Amino acid sequence: MTYKPKYKHVIWDWNGTLFNDVFLCADIMNNMLTRRNMPQISEEEYRRVFTFPVKDYYEKLGHKTDDENWEVISREFINEYENRKLDFELYPEARKILQTIKDAGLTQSILSAYSQKTLEEIVDYFNLSGYFIKLVGLNNIYAASKLDNGKKWMNELGFKNGEVLFVGDTLHDYEVALEIGADPVLFTKGHQAEEKLKECGASLIGCLDELQNILF
Ligand SMILES: [Mg+2]
């Protein structure tokens, strides 16, 4: 079967799009809530309340996010996340669709708010490095945003409007995609509930396999 791709490049989000860390993030939050005698949330509640900027999400659950407390909360989250992340997996169809896209001759990259070093390590851990021409994470020293990095990366890629597809799992990804001139597709099994994702006009997919219908 030969595919005729509509796009030349696919930019992927990592967390909640290729890597299924949704339960992990909800569970870490519940541990933080328990330590503070605050009410627990279900995974579904987590997906309804999670948002960007992340501070707003913490505030909605009752956390104080003044500067001092924010540093404590952030460190608490990151420490537990880094300790437990390798207990979690890619979404079931992730490897297959990456291979399908590669076989069709498209190039792929990752644009993530995860730090550059940890992004490189985890992509390598899952043996996925060969699928991507570039991994674009956040470099803490320069504290650039996903949006800034995305703009730079699109300039470097040099593709025109309509040639790049951006696959993410949040309304923030949708906004970033539009700003950098890529076509957004949102995956509904990630960090935000489908009802929320429906608020924007992006194409939605409930399984990564469905990307084939959009790409070819
Ligand atoms: Mg994500």
Side-chain angles (χ1 to χ4, degrees), residues 13-17 52 146 168-170 173 191:
D13 168 61
W14 175 253
N15 303 89
T17 302
F52 286 95
K146 193 168 178 176
D169 70 313
T170 62
D173 287 330
H191 289 270

Side-chain angles (χ1 to χ4, degrees), residues 38-134:
M38 287 153 73
Q40 300 280 293
I41 52 166
S42 67
E43 194 172 329
E44 275 319 296
E45 280 163 332
Y46 165 79
R47 296 176 74 245
R48 277 198 297 272
V49 77
F50 183 77
T51 192
F52 286 95
V54 181
K55 247 184 194 182
D56 293 353
Y57 149 64
Y58 280 82
E59 282 171 10
K60 276 195 227 167
L61 293 175
H63 288 284
K64 291 192 191 76
T65 60
D66 53 275
D67 288 353
E68 201 185 331
N69 202 41
W70 183 240
E71 214 188 302
V72 174
I73 290 176
S74 307
R75 207 176 311 125
E76 211 173 313
F77 177 86
I78 290 168
N79 286 346
E80 188 171 343
Y81 186 94
E82 291 305 312
N83 284 335
R84 296 176 61 193
K85 66 182 180 187
L86 297 183
D87 294 337
F88 293 82
E89 290 290 333
L90 301 172
Y91 283 96
E93 312 79 10
R95 212 174 282 276
K96 189 171 148 226
I97 190 72
L98 289 170
Q99 185 66 46
T100 303
I101 294 169
K102 189 181 182 186
D103 290 344
L106 284 78
T107 51
Q108 302 177 83
S109 58
I110 293 179
L111 175 63
S112 174
Y114 205 21
S115 85
Q116 183 70 34
K117 185 170 165 282
T118 43
L119 178 64
E120 285 171 7
E121 282 168 2
I122 197 165
V123 169
D124 185 51
Y125 173 83
F126 284 108
N127 280 315
L128 297 176
S129 304
Y131 289 108
F132 305 107
I133 59 170
K134 187 157 177 151

